[in-house]
């Protein structure tokens, strides 16, 4: 009885194992390579598949999805004898699971070694500068070589990318210095261009400002000249209409003479000997100023004859004093210049206010 139960359990176990071996469920994007008695039989596609138990066996389970493999850094020598470290990333997919299983024992290792070899051949023909700037060219060359070689293995290389190219530390320092110098050069050029543009704009602004100032000054001078011309014309018309006599002009000269003598810039005066005679003549003219018929003052500014004579006497006294001071200064200046006694101009006769006012010609006019 016990033996029958054991036998029954053994038979049930064999049936279960047989069913398990006979039924194979393959997931999506995977293929199973089946061998029958050690020989390739068929490939199981995704879904439910039946096998012959104890005869058929699954050799490999091949993933049909695109895979990514990152290879460790590889030392590569460039054409200018510099050792650089290059990291690569490989994208591939299995397109034929049977050839990927039977044509090569380990396709992943084969792809890695082929990538390293091809990369060394490509980088070895380039210098460092070109290797750093020709990544796209290197990637295309690697993809072409790998795709051609791995095609017979049932593998499709879709993309090869270079992650990093690391030159030696000394080369990196030199490159950083070079880039820093290049940036400094560009900064200097940009500053020079900015300074140049600034100077050009400043010069243009100064030019326009100078032109505007010159135009404004010209307009101001024109207006000032026109104003002066109008003032001179007005004064001339007023003098012409008033028709002043010579005695009035002599009186005005005597009034202005002390102001001329008191000028701060008048250091040396050349006084002719005829000045005293001229002053005597002007004094005589002023003496007869009150008796002239044509010099009748207007009603608005009328003065008595006594006031005119008094003002004339004061003006004559001031003129005589100024003339004497000027003569003294001339003699002192001449003495300093010659280093001796004053020489040169003869001393004029002293002029008194009475001689200017009591001129004989004036008395003749009065008589």
């Amino acid at each position: 009885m016990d033996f029958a139960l054991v036998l029954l359990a053994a038979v049930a176990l064999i049936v279960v194992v047989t069913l398990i071996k006979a039924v194979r469920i393959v997931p999506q994007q995977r293929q199973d390579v089946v061998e029958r008695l050690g020989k390739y039989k068929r490939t199981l596609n995704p879904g439910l598949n039946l096998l012959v138990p104890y005869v058929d066996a699954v050799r490999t389970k091949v993933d049909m999805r695109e895979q990514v493999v990152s290879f460790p850094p590889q030392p590569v020598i460039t054409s200018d004898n510099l050792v650089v470290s290059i990291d690569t990333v490989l994208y591939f997919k299995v397109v034929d699971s049977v050839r990927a299983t039977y044509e090569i024992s380990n396709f992943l290792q084969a792809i890695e070694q082929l990538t390293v070899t091809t990369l060394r051949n490509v980088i070895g023909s380039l210098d460092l500068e070109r290797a750093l700037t020709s990544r796209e060219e290197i990637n295309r060359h690697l993809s072409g070589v790998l795709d051609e070689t791995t095609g017979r293995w049932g593998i499709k290389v879709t993309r090869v990318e270079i992650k990093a190219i690391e030159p030696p530390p000394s080369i990196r320092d030199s490159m950083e210095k070079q880039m820093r110098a290049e940036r400094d050069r560009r900064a200097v050029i940009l500053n020079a261009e900015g300074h140049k543009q600034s100077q050009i704009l400043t010069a243009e602004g100064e030019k326009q400002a100078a032109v505007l100032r010159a135009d404004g000054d010209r307009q101001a001078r024109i207006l000032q000249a026109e104003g002066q011309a109008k003032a001179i014309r007005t004064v001339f018309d007023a003098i012409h209409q008033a028709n002043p006599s010579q005695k009035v002009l002599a009186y005005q000269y005597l009034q202005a003479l002390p102001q001329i003598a008191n000028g701060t810039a008048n250091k040396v005066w050349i006084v002719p000997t005829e000045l005293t005679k001229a002053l005597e003549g002007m004094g005589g003219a002023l003496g007869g100023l009150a008796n002239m018929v044509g010099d009748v003052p207007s009603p608005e500014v009328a003065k008595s004859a006594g006031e005119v004579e008094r003002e004339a006497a004061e003006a004559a006294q001031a003129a005589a004093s100024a003339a004497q001071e000027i003569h003294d200064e001339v003699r002192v200046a001449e003495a300093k210049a010659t280093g001796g006694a004053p020489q040169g101009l003869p001393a004029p006769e002293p002029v008194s206010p009475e001689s200017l006012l009591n001129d004989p010609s004036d008395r003749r006019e009065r008589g």
Side-chain angles (χ1 to χ4, degrees), residues 129-182:
E129 292 292 336
R130 189 175 176 186
L132 292 174
T133 58
S134 303
R135 292 194 178 187
E136 292 294 333
E137 181 181 354
I138 296 173
N139 293 337
R140 288 195 301 269
H141 189 77
L142 285 175
S143 298
V145 172
L146 291 176
D147 189 47
E148 181 182 359
T149 305
T150 58
R152 62 176 182 270
W153 300 340
I155 297 173
K156 174 68 175 178
V157 176
T158 58
R159 190 178 183 88
V160 179
E161 291 290 340
I162 296 178
K163 290 195 300 183
I165 300 178
E166 297 292 339
S170 59
I171 302 300
R172 287 201 299 269
D173 295 339
S174 300
M175 293 173 61
E176 290 177 359
K177 292 180 181 179
Q178 181 181 359
M179 293 302 297
R180 191 179 301 111
E182 181 66 21

Side-chain angles (χ1 to χ4, degrees), residues 9-10 15-16 24 37-38 57 87 94 112 176 194 200 209 240-241 244 267 282 291 303 351 355:
V15 171
V16 171
R24 175 68 63 176
L37 300 177
D87 295 346
V94 178
E112 180 181 358
E176 290 177 359
I200 291 174
H240 187 270
Q241 291 176 3
K267 301 299 181 183
M282 286 187 291
N291 297 324
K303 294 183 180 180
V351 181
S355 64

Side-chain angles (χ1 to χ4, degrees), residues 195-325:
H195 186 63
K196 174 183 175 183
Q197 293 295 330
S198 176
Q199 287 184 341
I200 291 174
L201 294 178
T202 303
E204 290 292 337
E206 291 178 354
K207 174 183 175 182
Q208 294 180 4
V211 170
L212 293 177
R213 282 195 297 267
D215 186 67
D217 187 54
R218 181 178 65 85
Q219 295 292 336
R221 288 178 181 273
I222 291 174
L223 295 177
Q224 185 178 5
E226 292 177 354
Q228 290 179 356
K230 290 181 180 179
I232 292 172
R233 189 180 301 110
T234 302
V235 173
F236 179 79
D237 293 340
I239 293 174
H240 187 270
Q241 291 176 3
N243 193 15
S245 64
Q246 295 295 331
K247 297 179 176 58
V248 175
L249 296 178
Y251 175 68
Q252 293 294 330
Y253 176 76
L254 289 174
Q255 284 186 335
L257 185 59
Q259 298 179 359
I260 297 175
N262 292 330
T264 56
N266 299 329
K267 301 299 181 183
V268 178
W269 284 68
I270 305 300
V271 182
T273 57
E274 292 80 1
L275 178 61
T276 56
K277 296 180 179 180
L279 292 176
E280 291 177 357
M282 286 187 291
L286 290 174
L289 182 62
N291 297 324
M292 291 184 62
V293 179
D295 293 337
V296 180
S298 61
E300 293 80 0
V301 292
K303 294 183 180 180
S304 64
E307 292 177 351
V308 173
E309 291 181 358
R310 181 174 54 80
E311 292 182 0
E314 293 177 356
Q317 181 66 33
S321 300
Q324 186 65 33
E325 291 178 358

Side-chain angles (χ1 to χ4, degrees), residues 63 138 332:
D63 192 348
I138 296 173
V332 172

